[in-house]
Amino acid sequence: MEEVFGPGGLIARHHPNYEYRPGQVEMAEAVNQTLTGGGAALIEAGTGTGKTLAYLIPALASRERVIVSTATKNLQEQLYKKDIPFLQQIIPRQFHATYMKGRSNYVCLHRLKKADETPILDGLKEVDYFDEVRRWAAVSETGDRAELEDLPEDLSFWPHIDARADICLGQKCPEFEACFITKMRQQAIESDIVIVNHHLFFADLALRGGDYGGVLPEYSTVIFDEAHELEDVAASYFGSSVSNYRIADLMEDAGKLVITAPDQASEMNKALARLAQRSDMFWLTFQSGDRNQALLEGNSPGYRGPERTGRNWQDGRNTIDSSFFLRADREGEYRPTAAGEAYMALTTAIDRVIAALALVKDPPPEVENIGRRAESLKFDLEFIVTASEQGFVYWVERRGRGVFLHATPIDVSGILEDRLFENVRSVVLTSATMTAGGSFSFIKGRLGIREARELIIESHFDFENQAVLYLPERMPDPRSREFLDASVEQIVQILEATSGRAFVLFTSVASMRETYERVKDQVEFPVLLQGQASKAGILDRFRKTSGAVLFATSSFWQGVDVQGEALSCVIISKLPFAVPSDPIVAARQKYIDDQGGSSFYEYSVPEAIIALKQGLGRLIRSKNDRGVLSILDPRVRTKSYGRLFLQSLPPCHITKQIKDAAAIFE
């Protein structure tokens, strides 16, 4: 590794901005030892270490297929489009790399053609968007919607043409050979390095051995970059989920079946009409009524109750339990509630659809697929409604018109120990933020890692001279309405002092949008808002626009690299504590407290520290960068736990005066 990364080495001879970084050599050696000897490694590598090359070089040296999993698509594309081409130019042997995303990121050529026959568009504007997608799909080599940088993220018709697994016809599809998923899989099989994101990795890990099979090629080595994100992603894939959209999609696809026998077509139409009726009745039980509100509250720890407008709950999450569907009467007999009766009627309607599908003679390939989806839907519904599996939290979520039922494992450590760490020969976990208070204990406990190499590499940058931390005085409590007014005033003042060039980061979309609306008319700088274009598109616009200010949430707290003056300020609105009323967070906290621990100091604080370190880590990305870090949340100064946050940040000058913060640019 010294011969590769040291002065006069392979990197030094080819990289125009080469710097000798002892930490990079140290990390590369640790990764190499893990890939050679097996086991797990935990490596916190501060910004500027050059960790990407520090794990890619040993991965290539291993001469085995290596899965590299990142937290975000942004970082995934950076690896594939920047780091891999560089290595392909300088490595003295040929190697192949590919990147894979979740199937819903790719267009399905079969569904795209069928969409011409089905009204799926909302308004004339979407007709233009659809035409653009169709022209793009005819010439694209990947079918990845990230190439559509100028189209909005929330295309209403995309779910009707994407390539997600549950609608795939596999080899029976007439477009199988031309399919972008087929091509992607073949490229992965032929590759030395396969770059994925955490969502795809754990979707694959959860599916292996199931009806749909794995997506990734076989592997014995995996490297997780931005590994601090693993717990939440893994939990989402080792549970179950059902929504009104899932049932509606099933009915829509079943309704499109071409059934030639009149009696069979009639039975299918009747079954689908019954399913539509029963589905509406079931989902209505989650939308109105004080009785249902009380049942939804259950015994959820930290539950604050749904906010309602009229008789409908606003978007949010609430815990449910089996008493929502089955309750004891005065005689002690358990009887179904209105929701329970609606559930039983729904499952009966699903059974009728399954029976109607079985009657179809000479069925088209879609029939088997839809039948399998219906069986899976029924199984997941039963798992959630009965709530009999200990160790899961059961909850309902409203997002716009969507209602989602979830069963999520409270603790994934045992699952990951069994499914990942005991079955994969070599696992490397790295990030710039994995420790709290200098210890890996938090992440080891959450992920089920018993033994691992541990390495902390300090940042290569000189934060004492390159950055200043501005903590404004006399900020109101962040939970008060006055905080918005004060934060808007502070943000405007900070942006004036830094000439824009800033990320303003929030913990919620609502706060981001409200603050954006208040600030945009008070500053002269170009102001961008996350969601106005694709993430890659808006980030590119930020880099190219002088003095730009970007208002963003969680996806821009990590995996985003903007070097130079374009990003000279990072403003954090609030300390990124997880919402205590969130069902998953509340269940994890209760689990820790029930074991005799302190969930606040063992879970809430370490998790928030890691998130804060990620957000502030966007600022200093090279040795020439200078910038202002600012935390508007007063708790970092006024609460006893605030010192834990400050102790975990890179050492830099702290000031209460904006003029002192602006002096960093002089």
Side-chain angles (χ1 to χ4, degrees), residues 69-73 196-206 224-240 317 407-409 412 415-416 446-447 558 584 588 603 607:
S69 181
T70 72
T72 63
K73 298 172 191 173
V196 304
N197 56 57
H198 298 341
H199 287 272
L200 178 58
F201 180 87
F202 285 107
D204 175 83
L205 192 64
F224 293 106
D225 200 344
E226 307 291 3
H228 59 280
E229 290 285 305
L230 293 186
E231 181 184 14
D232 287 339
V233 178
S236 68
Y237 286 100
F238 286 107
S240 297
R317 299 174 168 186
T408 304
V412 296
I415 298 173
L416 294 183
R446 303 306 305 174
L447 299 182
Q558 61 184 18
I584 300 175
R588 289 173 180 170
Y603 177 80
E607 185 186 52

Side-chain angles (χ1 to χ4, degrees), residues 413-425:
S413 60
I415 298 173
L416 294 183
E417 184 179 2
D418 294 339
R419 302 284 292 272
L420 177 61
F421 296 108
E422 290 188 358
N423 287 323
V424 179
R425 181 177 178 274

Side-chain angles (χ1 to χ4, degrees), residues 242 247 274-287 291-292 324-326 335-351 378 381-382 385 405:
V242 176
I247 297 179
R274 177 64 60 88
L275 179 57
Q277 181 188 42
R278 298 294 187 259
S279 177
D280 288 344
M281 291 174 60
F282 177 74
W283 296 112
L284 280 172
T285 63
F286 295 92
Q287 296 186 37
R291 177 186 177 193
N292 285 351
F324 185 69
F325 301 98
L326 193 68
R335 301 185 183 279
T337 62
E341 292 176 350
Y343 159 71
M344 291 187 290
L346 176 59
T347 56
T348 301
I350 296 173
D351 284 336
K378 182 181 174 184
L381 263 173
E382 181 181 4
V385 167
L405 299 181

Side-chain angles (χ1 to χ4, degrees), residues 629-640:
L629 309 169
S630 182
I631 304 172
L632 304 183
D633 193 325
R635 291 175 294 182
V636 76
R637 293 183 293 101
T638 60
K639 299 295 184 181
S640 59

Side-chain angles (χ1 to χ4, degrees), residues 615-636:
L616 294 179
R618 300 311 96 214
L619 183 65
I620 304 300
R621 309 300 296 179
S622 77
K623 68 176 184 178
N624 295 319
D625 284 352
R626 297 287 185 276
V628 174
L629 309 169
S630 182
I631 304 172
L632 304 183
D633 193 325
R635 291 175 294 182
V636 76

Side-chain angles (χ1 to χ4, degrees), residues 67-122:
I67 305 293
V68 176
S69 181
T70 72
T72 63
K73 298 172 191 173
N74 291 340
L75 182 56
Q76 194 178 0
E77 292 183 3
Q78 178 183 312
L79 281 169
Y80 185 72
K81 296 180 180 180
K82 177 182 175 184
D83 299 304
I84 291 295
F86 170 72
L87 291 177
Q88 286 175 327
Q89 291 178 0
I90 71 170
I91 295 292
R93 72 173 179 87
Q94 285 190 340
F95 71 90
H96 299 283
T98 190
Y99 79 102
M100 305 174 72
K101 297 180 182 179
R103 296 181 55 126
S104 62
N105 290 280
Y106 299 89
V107 66
C108 172
L109 295 174
H110 178 59
R111 299 183 81 201
L112 182 64
K113 288 183 178 179
K114 294 187 71 173
D116 280 335
E117 308 165 7
T118 309
I120 63 171
L121 305 178
D122 294 335

